[in-house]
């Protein structure tokens, strides 16, 4: 059974990423606890996790407030990824070693196992292995310059948790996209690898945008 703390965290994270709270808005523990029918203890614990995620910050006299992420900032991050990561994949198709490809396969298998599990923290696990997969793709490109340009985009707090929007079918589709990328790398097909990553990121961006409220800034 999912703990109250995990349930509150997942719901607050989903709402934050969907734009349900305004930038700078205060998260009131008592109001959230009443709305979600829990005590304030799991709400407080969930808020601390969100602070660690970079989605909420503590302000003197105000308490926990929402960090602002305008839609244009999110769109820009995705657009930059769609420019740079396909290039990284093209380069990886030319430089990846068998060890790089085996590592990508292992991470994608762990992601699949997480998707199919009934663990309380399933979404967090899927998110974790997905992030590791994209970092491993940068490793396979073997370019310090590409890594320096892309790494921060992969770890943006508002984007890294996009799986809180996903259904199980969406997650399985993402695993399949990863398989297609790996197949292109194994075939040393630079064009196919580039196209596969661009399609994967475009699909992710469209799903993300469909779950966001209308732009607030």
């Amino acid at each position: 059974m999912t703990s109250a703390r995990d349930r509150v965290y997942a719901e607050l994270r989903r709402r934050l990423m969907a734009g349900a709270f305004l930038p700078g808005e205060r998260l009131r523990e008592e109001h959230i606890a009443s709305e979600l029918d829990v005590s304030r203890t799991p709400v407080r614990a969930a808020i601390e996790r969100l602070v660690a995620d970079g989605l909420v910050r503590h302000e003197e006299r105000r308490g926990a407030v929402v960090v602002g992420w305008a839609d244009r900032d999110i769109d820009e991050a995705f657009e930059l990824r769609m420019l740079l990561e396909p290039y990284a994949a093209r380069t990886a198709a030319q430089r990846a070693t068998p060890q790089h490809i085996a590592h990508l396969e292992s991470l994608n298998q762990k992601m699949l196992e997480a998707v199919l599990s009934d663990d309380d923290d399933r979404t967090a696990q899927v998110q974790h292995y997905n992030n590791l997969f994209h970092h491993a793709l940068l490793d396979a490109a073997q370019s310090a310059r590409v890594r320096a340009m892309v790494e921060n985009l992969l770890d943006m707090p508002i984007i890294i948790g996009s799986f809180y929007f996903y259904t199980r079918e969406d997650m399985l589709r993402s695993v399949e996209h990863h398989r297609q990328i790996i197949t292109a790398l194994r075939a040393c097909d630079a064009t196919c690898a580039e196209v596969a990553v661009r399609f994967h990121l475009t699909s992710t961006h469209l799903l993300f945008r469909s779950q966001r409220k209308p732009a607030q800034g």
Side-chain angles (χ1 to χ4, degrees), residues 81-91 193-194 197-198 201:
R81 286 186 67 184
M82 284 186 277
L83 286 170
L84 296 169
E85 278 191 76
Y87 174 81
R90 169 177 281 278
T91 305
E194 181 178 2
V197 170
R198 183 172 290 111
L201 294 176

Side-chain angles (χ1 to χ4, degrees), residues 158-170:
I158 194 65
I159 290 177
I160 197 174
S162 59
F163 283 93
Y164 284 87
F165 289 146
Y166 280 40
T167 63
R168 178 168 286 187
E169 290 71 26
D170 292 328

